[in-house]
């Protein structure tokens, strides 16, 4: 907030200053216009005078220039002469200096030779009486050179030499000074002439002489080198004389040149004075003329400036006032904007509006913070030009997208974009492309190196396709954990410290629609929800519809939009430039021609834009009117897409991308039937789009979900059209019932259950259905009884005249209330009647149709089921289109069965075929969980650049847990999903089972008759086992994967036994098939009992002789061929009915009720309730429920006092103490959670996840997961569950408050269903019996006896042996009190009550179970042993006079609570 406030203040103040500066200068310019006009009149006279003076002086200057020119030419000639002489002198001087330089080495050698002579050596030489040969010659040569000018010495004897060396010092000095004597030219030529014969002597050599005397050798070297020096100097001397003469000549020439130059200089000085004067005069003239011209130009510019800025002057003045007003309101406006940027990002448009209107604005108003009346954060965070630029970069134009653009560009933290439809990432890629955007993802090779370079170079980085966690190495970057080092920002990246460029940006992106990020990521980033909104998508789809239907309109619309955006950007740029130039302009404003021309350009563009905008506005109105005609189609499209988006809550396979949906949407537009009338065309578009999307979706749905989704589709369509009452819809979906229902009148007790009556009583509060309550118990009661008893009541009209005017939807509500078992059929008929038959009857699967919809970006994804071979479909289509496993290049079909080591093979094939074309079939990809993310990326790459004939087909088995995502979401979203489930009817299962065999199956067996009968029975056995699944828990307590492998191997077992045995070993066959082959799948012992019971009934010798496999279906003759049996199944198989499985007809009712509950529960889960609270706020309805629950919730039990009252801690006491403890935990949890939620709804507490879950559960009339955690097993809805909880508390209160309790206060008959752990009470009965009988507990078994008492009050006292329990009901059978044995159920009586049951303990040794059916007892109607719902308790012993298998196959079981209405 502080940063944004300061920035906005600076920005606005800067804008005010710029505008005010411009205004000041414009106003100053207007004042100067008159002054300029007066100034120009005076200046015009002055200009003429200056011009005349300049012309006169110009003539004088011209004459003087001529004279100077002539004298200058003479001076130039003299200068040329001097230059020639100078060149000659220079050459001669260089020759002399060069020759003299050559003599210097000789002098140097001579001097060096002298340096070798030492005084003592000369003394020794002088002392010699007779020198060695050669030395005397050296001394003679020395004496010759020293000869005076009078002549060369004649006496050159050794004695003369000794005399010359008499004074050794003087002799040596003479040697050193001899060079100077030569230079002075005083040495006679004759001396050197006389010395030359000596130089030619062989022994006149330094080395030779040196062997005789060191001093003589030095003198020898001196003579030789001084002679050389003399010769050189003698050659140079003539040149020196010539040089002296030349220099004298040069001096004379220079004197002449000096005189001429001085004369020219005097003339030039005079001319310079004249030129200076002339320049001054001309300058004054030019300045005067220029000033006059400038003033004229300034006057013109001033006039143009005033004209151009006439409107800007007013507009900028208003702008200054507005900005100054906004500055005062800035604290509140910025507070709203800062809160907007900080908090709204993760939310959709609805919650954003709630935050703004319900939280931020009230806070600002309550605290009297200065703020605009309706502050709009978008206008504060971005101007129109910026937003227009975003639009040109691909950002959708809807409000939420614009807000998201502001969030991304304004947030201080890095933005984390939730973008399942890939609209935000497209905008960012286009916007940042000029800035060298780096696009990477976690795990990509070289990612860290690329990221490091981008950070250092200040380039933006887009980290795309994030999952719900971020690599820890990126933590410092994501968290902006920067630190200063050497006055520069750095960040840790792995083990490196990287310098952070100030322009570096990081964008985080995920395609997950609802990611769950840890708190640290949410705190370190700004989450921005780019998920498309319904309104935004409507606008986008409208553009696509119009582009298809009226491309001319959409083209014009698009061009206008782009043009207007460009105009806004251009105007902004021009105005910014003008304001900048005005603000920075120095001196006179009228002299800035560029500024004035820009102002005129701004005026021209503004005028042009105004004219075009006027035209465009009218054109846009006309275009929008024409486009609005197609809005209904776009609205339907958006509705369909958001419905598809909600299906992911049903199953993880139901994922759809926006791009895939748009492809289907546009294809439907192309295929819609043409109509000359516009209204007819719209109807055709609506119908075709709806059906094509439904058909596209239906192919990828499991059978059990198809009716659910199409009903949801129809509900959404009717809601959008306003053709459905929300309160009626709420009842249909939730099946509401009243809590305190009055007693049923006698007239309806015969055909209405308490649950039905509670629903009817609830309908009394709905306006359109309130009359049903009176009609049902009035004169029409008999007619209603007939209608209720009809097997297919939904096909009949409502029975009374009062009901004739009910709408189809109200009929559904009535069926939901009275015959909930028929509601699924009624819904099917409703969809058929409203949308059409093709919505409920699916056409046969056509692979060619699917292939025509596939592209390189849309693979085909098959879900695998037993008996369905997707590769066969693809292979057959490939033959038709020329593709096959041996096809030529580009026409090949390659199947890769995925398994260990197949990953590189699959990748190589995809890469190869992506380049050249071809089909790739990857089988069983669900086996490669760790490799699938890589496959996802490979397919993404191929989607961008693959060959047009490249296709990918994928297969995978569905995960047993629907919400488990075992296939990458991106792959599923892009894929065309095919769930081609085999038919689920018993006949279809029988047909498919028998199709696994052929004639050879019979021919290969030695016992032809037996194998035919046993294989046919085996096929029916398999069909029954597979088909029982649809009856839910009554069929199987859990789902089992029986497959054709079990069937075929079992047939092989039969063949082997028949081939290897004379008689059929029935027991062995039944054991192997029942216990091993099929029993290997079964984990529940009572389910295994069903498996064995089927075999014991079907796999008997009677199967060779017309055994009745099921009611109305006998085994065929055992002497026919395979085709006969196949036709027998088609012609003789009876109509589908539960009794074919050995089940009672009520099982279908239970199945239908469960299906209906599942259907409506699913619609509620995916958001189809709409007006669940009758149109009011959900919070209001929740608050009412909270207050009702709090008012009825009892206080906790006093466990401490209760424990202190214990006198005899017997098993029953342990049970009640345990129950009280658990009930206290539950009551405390309910009380605390309700209180917290109430405070949360009132705003006193922050809403936690647990509070939100509780609120959502209460809205759906479901028990919260938190309560379930501490509760007892129950399948009831929230209202029934809470009422049931209160009854359980009441029983405990009676128990602990009874006299002598808890030691002696056990109820005579206990409502065992009300216990958390009913088995604890049963065990207590066994413990008491074991103690009484003094027998070990492990030798005791439970035995139950049914009494003839239906109500607990009928029990007058404790049983002599054991204890009474009540509250039980039965499913799959009933108890016949009169006959005192188990009996078949009464039609439509799903869960008949049982009388009081006497439970006692007996010794194993005393048990005789002849005529006894071991009936499992479950706590809820969900069987099995998987808490918190399906919990097995114990086995009850029930008397029967029929075979036990009858009740086993009927799924007979006892339930402690009736959870199905």
């Amino acid at each position: 907030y502080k940063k944004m406030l300061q920035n906005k203040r600076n920005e606005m103040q800067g804008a005010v200053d710029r505008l005010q500066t411009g205004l000041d200068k414009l106003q100053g310019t207007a004042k100067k216009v008159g002054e300029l006009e007066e100034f120009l009149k005076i200046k015009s006279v002055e200009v003429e005078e200056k011009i005349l003076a300049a012309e006169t002086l110009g003539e004088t200057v011209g004459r003087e220039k001529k004279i100077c020119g002539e004298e200058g030419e003479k001076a130039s000639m003299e200068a040329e002469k001097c230059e020639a002489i100078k060149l000659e002198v220079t050459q001669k001087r260089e020759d002399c200096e060069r020759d003299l330089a050559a003599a210097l080495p000789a002098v140097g050698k001579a001097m060096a030779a002298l340096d070798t002579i030492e005084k003592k050596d000369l003394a020794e030489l002088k002392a010699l009486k007779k020198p060695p040969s050669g030395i005397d010659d050296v001394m003679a040569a020395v004496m010759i050179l020293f000869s005076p000018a009078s002549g060369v010495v004649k006496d050159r004897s050794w004695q003369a030499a000794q005399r010359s060396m008499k004074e050794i010092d003087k002799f040596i000095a003479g040697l050193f000074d001899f060079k100077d004597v030569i230079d002075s030219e005083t040495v006679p030529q004759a001396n050197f002439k006389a010395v030359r014969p000596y130089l030619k002597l062989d022994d006149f050599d330094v080395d030779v002489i040196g062997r005789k005397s060191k001093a003589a050798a030095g003198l020898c070297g001196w003579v030789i080198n001084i002679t050389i020096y003399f010769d050189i100097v003698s050659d140079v001397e003539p040149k020196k004389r010539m040089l002296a003469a030349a220099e004298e000549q040069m001096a004379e020439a220079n004197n002449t040149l000096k005189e001429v130059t001085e004369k020219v200089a005097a003339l030039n000085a005079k001319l310079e004075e004249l030129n200076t004067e002339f320049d001054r005069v001309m300058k004054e003239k030019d300045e005067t003329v220029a000033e006059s011209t400038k003033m004229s130009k300034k006057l013109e510019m001033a006039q143009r400036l005033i004209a151009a800025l006439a409107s800007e002057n007013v507009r900028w003045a208003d702008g200054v006032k507005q900005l100054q007003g906004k500055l005062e309101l800035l604290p509140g406006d910025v507070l709203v904007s800062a809160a907007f940027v900080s908090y709204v990002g993760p939310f959709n448009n609805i919650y954003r509006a709630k935050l703004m209107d319900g939280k931020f604005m009230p806070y600002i108003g309550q605290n009297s913070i200065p703020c605009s009346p309706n502050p709009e954060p978008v206008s504060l965070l971005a101007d129109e030009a910026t937003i227009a630029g975003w639009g040109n970069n691909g950002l959708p134009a809807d409000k939420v997208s614009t807000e998201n653009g502001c969030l991304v560009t304004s947030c201080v933290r890095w933005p984390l974009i939730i973008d399942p439809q890939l609209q935000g990432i497209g905008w960012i890629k286009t916007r940042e492309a000029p800035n060298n955007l780096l696009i990477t993802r976690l795990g990509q090779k070289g990612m860290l190196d690329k990221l490091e370079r981008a950070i250092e170079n200040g380039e933006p980085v887009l980290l795309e396709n994030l999952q719900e966690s971020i690599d820890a190495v990126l933590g410092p970057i994501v968290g902006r954990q920067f630190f200063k080092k050497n006055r520069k920002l750095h960040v840790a990246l792995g083990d490196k410290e990287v310098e952070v460029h100030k322009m570096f940006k990081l964008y985080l992106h995920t395609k997950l629609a609802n990611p769950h990020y840890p708190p640290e990521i949410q705190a370190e980033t700004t989450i921005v929800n780019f998920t498309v909104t319904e309104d935004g998508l409507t606008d986008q789809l409208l553009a696509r519809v119009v582009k298809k239907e009226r491309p001319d309109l959409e083209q014009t619309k698009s061009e206008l939009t782009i043009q207007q955006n460009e105009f806004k950007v251009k105007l902004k740029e021009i105005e910014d430039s003008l304001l900048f130039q005005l603000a920075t302009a120095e001196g006179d404003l009228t002299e800035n021609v560029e500024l004035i021309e820009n102002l005129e350009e701004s005026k021209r563009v503004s005028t042009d834009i105004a004219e075009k905008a006027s035209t465009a506005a009218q054109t846009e109105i006309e275009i929008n009117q024409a486009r609005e005609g197609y809005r209904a189609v776009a609205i339907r499209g958006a509705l369909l897409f958001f419905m598809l988006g909600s299906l992911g809550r049903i199953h993880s396979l139901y994922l759809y991308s926006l791009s895939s949906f748009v492809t289907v949407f546009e294809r439907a537009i192309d295929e819609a039937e043409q109509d000359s009338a516009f209204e007819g065309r719209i109807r055709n578009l609506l119908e075709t789009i709806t059906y094509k999307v439904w058909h596209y979706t239906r192919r990828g749905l499991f059978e059990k979900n198809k009716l659910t989704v199409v009903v949801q589709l129809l509900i959404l369509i009717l809601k959008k059209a306003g053709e459905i009452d929300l309160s009626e819809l709420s009842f249909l979906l939730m099946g509401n019932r009243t809590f305190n229902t009055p007693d049923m009148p006698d007239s309806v007790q015969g055909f209405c259950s308490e649950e039905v009556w509670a629903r009817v009583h609830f309908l009394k509060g709905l306006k359109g259905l309130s009359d049903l309550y009176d009609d049902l118990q009035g004169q029409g009661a008999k007619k209603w009884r007939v209608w209720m008893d009809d097997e297919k009541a939904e096909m009949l009209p409502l029975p009374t005249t009062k009901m004739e005017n009910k709408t189809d939807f109200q009929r559904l509500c009535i069926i939901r209330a009275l015959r909930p078992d028929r509601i699924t059929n009624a819904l099917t008929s409703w969809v058929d009647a409203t949308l059409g038959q093709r919505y409920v009857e699916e056409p046969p699967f056509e692979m060619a149709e699917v292939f025509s919809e596939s592209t390189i970006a849309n693979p085909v994804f098959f879900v695998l089921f037993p008996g369905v071979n997707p590769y066969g479909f693809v292979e057959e289509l490939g033959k038709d289109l020329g593709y096959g496993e041996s096809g030529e290049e580009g026409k090949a079909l390659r199947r890769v069965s995925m398994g260990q080591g197949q990953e590189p093979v699959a990748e190589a094939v995809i890469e190869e075929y992506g380049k050249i074309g071809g089909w790739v079939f990857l089988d069983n990809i669900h086996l490669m969980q760790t490799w699938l993310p890589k496959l996802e990326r490979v397919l993404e790459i191929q989607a961008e650049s693959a060959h047009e004939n490249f296709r990918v087909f994928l297969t995978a088995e569905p995960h047993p847990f629907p919400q488990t995502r075992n296939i990458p979401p991106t792959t599923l979203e892009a894929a065309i999903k095919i769930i081609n489930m085999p038919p689920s009817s018993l006949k279809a299962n029988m047909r498919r089972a028998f199709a696994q065999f052929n004639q050879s199956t019979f021919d290969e067996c030695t016992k032809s008759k037996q194998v035919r009968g046993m294989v046919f029975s085996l096929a029916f056995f398999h069909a029954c086992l597979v088909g029982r699944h649809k009856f839910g828990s009554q069929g199987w307590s859990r789902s089992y994967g029986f497959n054709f492998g079990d069937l075929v191997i079992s047939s092989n077992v039969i063949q082997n036994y028949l081939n290897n045995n004379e008689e059929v070993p029935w027991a062995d066959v039944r054991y192997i098939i029942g216990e091993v082959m099929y029993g290997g799948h079964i984990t529940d012992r009572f389910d295994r009992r069903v498996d064995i019971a089927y075999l014991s009934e079907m796999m008997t010798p009677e199967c060779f002789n017309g055994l009745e496999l099921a009611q109305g279906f006998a085994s065929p003759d055992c002497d026919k061929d395979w085709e006969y049996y196949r036709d027998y199944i088609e012609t003789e198989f009876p109509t589908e009915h539960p009794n074919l499985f050995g089940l009672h007809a009520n099982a279908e009712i239970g199945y239908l009720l469960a299906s209906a509950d599942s259907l409506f529960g699913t619609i509620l889960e995916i958001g189809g309730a709409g007006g669940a609270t009758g149109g009011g706020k959900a919070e209001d309805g929740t608050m009412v429920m909270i207050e009702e629950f709090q008012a009825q919730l009892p206080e906790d039990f006093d466990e401490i006092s209760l424990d202190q009252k214990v006198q005899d801690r017997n098993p029953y006491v342990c049970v009640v103490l345990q129950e009280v403890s658990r009930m206290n935990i539950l009551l405390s949890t309910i009380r605390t959670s309700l209180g917290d939620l109430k405070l949360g709804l009132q705003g006193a507490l922050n809403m936690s996840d647990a509070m939100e879950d509780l609120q959502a559960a209460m809205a759906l009339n479901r028990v919260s997961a938190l309560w379930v955690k501490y509760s007892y097993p129950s399948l009831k809805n929230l209202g029934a569950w809470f009422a049931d909880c209160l009854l359980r508390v009441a029983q405990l209160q009676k128990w602990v408050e009874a006299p002598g309790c808890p030691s002696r206060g056990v109820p005579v008959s206990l409502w065992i269903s009300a216990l958390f752990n009913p088995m604890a009470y049963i065990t207590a009965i066994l413990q008491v019996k074991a103690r009484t009988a003094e027998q070990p507990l492990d030798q005791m078994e439970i035995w139950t006896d049914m009494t003839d008492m239906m109500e607990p009050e009928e029990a007058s006292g404790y049983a002599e042996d054991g204890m009474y329990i009540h509250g039980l009901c039965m499913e799959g059978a009933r108890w016949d009190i009169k006959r005192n044995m188990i009996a078949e159920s009464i039609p439509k009586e799903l869960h008949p009550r049982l009388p009081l049951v006497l439970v006692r303990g007996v010794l194993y040794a005393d048990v005789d179970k002849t005529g006894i059916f071991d009936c499992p007892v479950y706590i809820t109607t969900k069987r099995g042993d998987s808490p918190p719902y399906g919990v097995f308790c114990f086995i009850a012993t029930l008397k029967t006079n029929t075979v036990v298998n009858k009740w086993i196959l009927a799924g007979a079981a006892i339930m402690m609570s009736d959870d199905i209405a």
Side-chain angles (χ1 to χ4, degrees), residues 940-961:
E940 285 179 356
I941 294 172
Q942 296 299 331
E944 298 173 359
S945 58
H947 191 280
E948 62 179 355
N949 292 331
F950 173 70
R951 293 292 186 276
V952 174
F953 303 89
L954 309 170
T955 72
E957 291 182 3
H959 198 279
F961 300 105

Side-chain angles (χ1 to χ4, degrees), residues 611-836:
E611 293 173 357
K612 291 183 178 179
S614 177
T615 305
Q618 184 60 36
T619 306
E620 191 166 9
I621 291 172
E622 297 171 0
I623 290 174
N624 288 339
Q625 288 175 347
R627 292 173 87 247
E628 283 302 308
Y630 294 95
R631 182 166 290 275
V633 180
I635 291 173
R636 177 65 60 84
L639 179 148
L640 292 169
F641 176 74
F642 276 89
M643 185 201 74
L644 294 185
S646 68
L647 300 185
R649 302 176 195 171
I650 302 176
H651 201 288
S652 60
L653 293 179
Y654 300 164
L655 300 178
Y656 306 87
S657 69
L658 180 58
S659 59
S660 299
F661 171 79
V662 168
T663 302
V664 178
F665 181 79
E666 292 186 337
R667 187 188 303 121
I669 294 174
D670 295 335
E671 295 179 8
E673 183 181 349
Q674 296 294 333
D675 195 303
S676 57
F678 181 76
E679 293 77 7
R681 175 63 179 168
I682 295 299
R683 283 196 300 272
N684 292 342
L685 284 171
L686 287 171
E687 169 56 24
T688 305
I689 289 170
T690 305
Y691 177 72
K692 287 295 181 183
V693 172
W694 161 240
H695 183 57
Y696 171 81
T697 308
R698 171 170 57 186
R699 287 186 313 216
L701 296 176
F702 293 102
E703 287 294 329
K704 64 181 180 180
N705 297 135
K706 288 180 179 178
L707 179 61
T708 303
V709 176
V710 76
V711 169
Q712 165 76 342
L713 169 62
L714 182 50
I715 288 173
L716 290 174
I717 291 173
L718 294 177
K719 278 178 64 181
K720 181 65 73 173
E723 297 177 6
I724 196 168
D725 183 276
L726 295 182
S727 59
E728 293 175 1
L729 172 61
S730 175
F731 173 78
L732 179 70
L733 296 179
M734 302 180 70
N736 308 80
R737 65 199 79 175
T738 53
F739 292 157
N740 300 313
T741 308
D743 294 336
M744 282 189 292
D746 295 339
S747 57
V748 298
Q749 282 187 357
F751 61 91
C752 277
S753 66
E754 292 182 359
E755 292 289 342
V756 169
W757 185 244
R759 289 198 185 98
V760 172
H761 195 263
F762 182 87
L763 288 178
K764 188 178 180 181
L766 301 185
K767 182 178 179 181
L769 295 164
S770 58
D771 51 352
L772 176 65
Y773 179 79
D774 295 327
D775 191 50
L776 198 65
Q777 57 183 324
Q779 296 179 353
K782 292 182 179 179
K783 295 179 180 180
W784 278 111
R785 177 189 289 272
V786 174
W787 185 86
M788 288 278 287
D789 290 340
D790 193 278
E791 185 177 350
K792 297 183 177 179
E794 79 281 0
M795 304 299 292
L796 301 176
L798 296 178
T800 64
T801 55
K802 287 185 179 181
M803 301 290 112
E804 290 177 355
N805 61 344
K806 300 300 179 187
T807 65
D808 290 343
F809 197 81
Q810 289 172 339
R811 285 190 80 253
L812 288 175
C813 292
I814 293 173
I815 295 171
R816 173 79 157 121
L818 302 180
R819 287 294 302 273
D821 59 308
R822 305 306 300 175
I823 189 64
T824 52
N825 299 75
L827 289 169
T828 303
S829 300
W830 178 54
V831 173
D832 188 340
T834 309
L835 292 177

Side-chain angles (χ1 to χ4, degrees), residues 467-533:
Q467 298 304 305
E468 292 185 345
S469 62
I470 297 179
D471 197 334
V473 74
L474 298 179
I477 300 173
V478 174
R480 299 175 66 90
Q481 297 170 16
F482 302 155
F483 57 89
K484 280 193 174 182
K485 185 177 181 182
N486 298 328
R487 296 185 178 181
K488 294 182 179 179
L489 286 179
H490 288 72
V491 68
L493 181 60
D495 56 355
K496 297 181 180 179
E497 291 182 353
V498 182
E499 183 180 339
V500 182
H501 194 285
K502 65 178 181 180
M503 297 303 293
F504 169 69
K505 298 178 191 173
L506 177 64
Y507 299 96
L508 305 169
H509 166 266
T510 180
K511 291 189 285 189
L512 301 177
N514 188 25
H516 296 277
Y517 287 108
E520 60 269 19
I521 293 180
Q522 298 186 43
E524 293 171 349
T525 62
T526 297
I527 297 179
V528 184
N529 188 357
F530 264 89
T531 304
V532 67
T533 62

Side-chain angles (χ1 to χ4, degrees), residues 1346-1360:
M1346 295 293 171
T1347 70
D1348 57 0
M1349 299 177 289
M1350 292 302 297
E1351 301 299 335
E1353 292 79 11
E1354 297 179 35
S1356 56
Y1358 292 111
E1360 294 181 2

Side-chain angles (χ1 to χ4, degrees), residues 997-1017:
F997 312 118
N998 50 42
Q999 185 62 39
S1000 63
T1001 307
F1002 302 151
D1003 297 340
E1004 291 171 359
C1005 184
T1006 57
K1007 295 181 176 59
S1008 175
K1009 176 180 178 181
Q1010 287 87 340
V1011 75
R1012 282 168 166 77
M1014 294 178 74
V1015 166
F1016 193 88
S1017 295

Side-chain angles (χ1 to χ4, degrees), residues 408-429:
V408 170
T409 55
S410 302
C411 60
V412 176
R413 296 167 289 178
W414 303 131
L416 172 53
I417 298 170
I418 300 173
D419 189 26
Q421 288 81 36
L422 305 182
Q423 294 191 326
I425 193 175
W427 167 62
I428 289 173
K429 286 180 178 178

Side-chain angles (χ1 to χ4, degrees), residues 1089 1346 1370-1385 1392 1394 1411-1416 1436-1444 1446-1448 1450-1454:
R1089 193 170 66 164
M1346 295 293 171
M1370 199 164 185
E1371 183 177 61
R1374 65 182 178 89
W1375 184 256
D1376 188 336
I1377 293 181
K1378 293 181 179 179
R1379 300 172 59 200
N1380 195 31
M1381 64 181 59
I1382 189 173
E1384 279 198 7
S1385 299
L1394 290 179
I1412 296 296
F1413 168 56
D1414 283 342
C1415 184
T1437 52
L1438 304 182
K1439 294 179 181 179
T1440 177
N1441 62 354
T1442 60
V1443 293
V1444 172
K1446 174 182 176 64
W1447 310 119
I1448 293 174
I1454 293 174

